[in-house]
Amino acid sequence: MTDDFRARVRDWLAANVPDSSEDAPAEELIATAKRFQAALHDAGLAGITWPSQFGGQGRSAAEQQIFDEEAAAHELPTGVFLIGLGMCGPTLVDLGSTEQKARYVRPLLRGEEIWCQLFSEPGAGSDVASLQTRAVRDGDSWVVNGQKVWTSGAQWSDHGALLARTNPDQPKHKGLTMFVVDMHAPGVTVRPLRDMTGRAPFNEVYFDDVRLPADAVLGEVDAGWFAAVTMLGHERVSIGGSVRRRYDPLAYHNLVELARTRNRLDDPLVRDGLAALYTAERALSLFNARLRQEADAGSPPGARGSVAKLAGAELLWQAVHVAGLIAGLDAAAWDPGSAEGDELAVAINATPASSIAGGTDQVQRNIIGDRILGLPRDPVADRDIPFRELRVGTQA
């Protein structure tokens, strides 16, 4: 059965993955991504483990692993859907009402609607519970005011999963609510931020008197921290558990090829680095496969998602070290027009974000120490104090 599924996936991808064209206008890339995702869904290969009643395939984690392994050989144009498929969608399935699942899950799986996650704020940093964006009940609506930052893909998104403060008289972890936001609604402003790779994957998002209907609440009112922890768990597995793509210049196989073309394969330091990198890649892949199998059996990854996320970030830093051993000074300065140099530079410059996105390495270590190893928690002085009495970020 699995051999038949693998063959079907391999044949379909070989026949349907479009040629890479990163130089095309962004709107054209988005349109290509949407056409591909819809075709993927029509072929029964999108939402492989998601519930069939909401548009998924209802298949096993083992089949999802097979798809990921086969897809790693291709450059799928699906990056714009990663937040929706990896974080927002699974949280909708876990916590959404029947009406919300029926409305949002199938269009998300078909690529008809793009999602973003609206958690981070300028004054909150890694302490998500310190966020200050407010949602105030007004009759049958909620009125939202505030600012988010580092929001990936917001400029292309149709919906966002917003975390806002709804009860400042509660301690900071208790007065939060998660909402589904229409990113095209009046009062929503998106401003792209350019990072040091020269790209603009992040955005600032402003909410000025944005009105949300009462049924926009995802989960329960004032129980947004539980919803946030649920989504962060999916986020860590999504980030740390992704299969290394074969076109990734920092993947083991591509670094071996780089060493071969530069006649560096006989260098003992390079060989040691490549061997250690292969071992780490393989170990992380097996760990993530186990997480998926256990999730398929009804045991969510929980805090072990932080292990996957931290190990994934450390793997990238390890790969950057090996790339430096191979390329030497060419990793910092390369011939103009060298596609190989450009790709490697972008990958290296993007690596520091891996230790920040989805919670810093320090946050992951605290979670692992607290929830897995049973170590004493860091002292928290503000856990039981009403939020409005705290001096947080720009709050007076």
Side-chain angles (χ1 to χ4, degrees):
M1 178 68 78
T2 55
D3 288 343
D4 291 344
F5 183 71
R6 185 181 292 278
R8 183 161 76 84
V9 171
R10 183 175 298 171
D11 291 346
W12 192 90
L13 292 174
N16 291 280
V17 175
D19 293 334
S20 175
S21 55
E22 289 192 353
D23 294 334
E27 291 74 11
E28 184 177 322
L29 294 175
I30 296 291
T32 298
K34 288 189 170 185
R35 285 195 298 271
F36 178 79
Q37 185 67 25
L40 196 67
H41 185 268
D42 292 344
L45 298 175
I48 290 174
T49 61
W50 294 37
S52 55
Q53 65 267 40
F54 299 115
Q57 310 303 327
R59 289 178 172 273
S60 68
E63 289 168 304
Q64 179 67 61
Q65 182 71 20
I66 288 171
F67 176 85
D68 290 345
E69 290 171 359
E70 293 299 323
H74 301 273
E75 188 169 2
L76 305 189
T78 52
V80 73
F81 304 120
L82 290 180
I83 302 294
L85 293 173
M87 306 167 199
C88 302
T91 306
L92 273 167
V93 172
D94 288 343
L95 304 178
S97 65
T98 301
E99 292 76 15
Q100 287 173 329
K101 294 176 188 177
R103 163 63 183 85
Y104 296 116
V105 174
R106 185 181 293 273
L108 192 161
L109 286 174
R110 288 185 53 78
E112 296 166 358
E113 296 175 340
I114 301 171
W115 283 68
C116 62
Q117 179 208 60
L118 297 153
F119 281 15
S120 297
E121 296 191 5
S126 294
D127 185 8
V128 175
S130 293
L131 63 85
Q132 298 179 61
T133 294
R134 302 289 180 96
V136 178
R137 190 68 187 255
D138 182 21
D140 293 334
S141 303
W142 292 88
V143 180
V144 179
N145 283 281
Q147 179 193 355
K148 298 292 179 178
V149 74
W150 312 124
T151 308
S152 302
Q155 69 269 52
W156 317 117
S157 293
D158 302 289
H159 304 289
L162 168 74
L163 197 61
R165 189 163 303 282
T166 45
N167 189 346
D169 292 322
Q170 290 280 342
K172 64 180 183 180
H173 290 87
K174 296 183 178 178
L176 302 170
T177 301
M178 186 175 288
F179 298 90
V180 176
V181 176
D182 178 356
M183 294 297 290
H184 307 300
V188 178
T189 303
V190 179
R191 296 177 180 169
L193 294 170
R194 196 168 298 280
D195 67 15
M196 67 181 182
T197 68
R199 301 176 177 180
F202 307 121
N203 301 269
E204 296 175 303
V205 182
Y206 294 86
F207 297 91
D208 296 305
D209 290 331
V210 176
R211 284 196 169 269
L212 306 178
D215 62 3
V217 173
L218 180 55
E220 298 180 10
V221 174
D222 290 347
W225 186 247
F226 175 75
V229 169
T230 299
M231 185 174 290
L232 288 171
H234 289 302
E235 180 180 41
R236 287 159 189 156
V237 173
S238 176
I239 293 175
S242 58
V243 175
R244 299 300 301 277
R245 303 291 178 187
R246 291 180 193 167
Y247 58 81
D248 181 347
L250 294 178
Y252 164 78
H253 290 288
N254 286 329
L255 289 177
V256 169
E257 187 57 29
L258 182 65
R260 191 188 316 281
T261 59
R262 289 176 172 267
N263 297 318
R264 298 281 290 155
L265 274 179
D266 292 333
D267 186 304
L269 289 177
V270 170
R271 295 179 70 84
D272 283 351
L274 286 170
L277 183 64
Y278 175 82
T279 303
E281 272 194 18
R282 186 63 180 152
L284 181 58
S285 176
L286 292 172
F287 178 73
N288 289 325
R290 177 171 176 170
L291 287 185
R292 287 187 173 185
Q293 290 169 357
E294 291 181 351
D296 197 35
S299 177
R304 291 173 300 165
S306 290
V307 177
K309 201 278 177 182
L310 179 62
E314 292 190 341
L315 178 64
L316 278 176
W317 283 109
Q318 187 176 351
V320 167
H321 171 68
V322 176
L325 290 176
I326 298 169
L329 294 178
D330 286 350
W334 56 95
D335 293 334
S338 166
E340 178 188 80
D342 285 344
E343 291 175 356
L344 194 59
V346 169
I348 291 173
N349 284 331
T351 293
S354 69
S355 292
I356 301 172
T360 65
D361 288 355
Q362 291 77 10
V363 168
Q364 310 309 326
R365 288 191 173 92
N366 276 348
I367 293 172
I368 294 167
D370 172 21
R371 301 181 198 170
I372 297 179
L373 301 179
L375 299 177
R377 284 189 170 188
D378 284 345
V380 179
D382 58 0
R383 180 168 291 275
D384 298 320
I385 300 174
F387 183 78
R388 69 167 70 250
E389 297 178 12
L390 299 178
R391 297 180 66 84
V392 176
T394 57
Q395 181 168 277

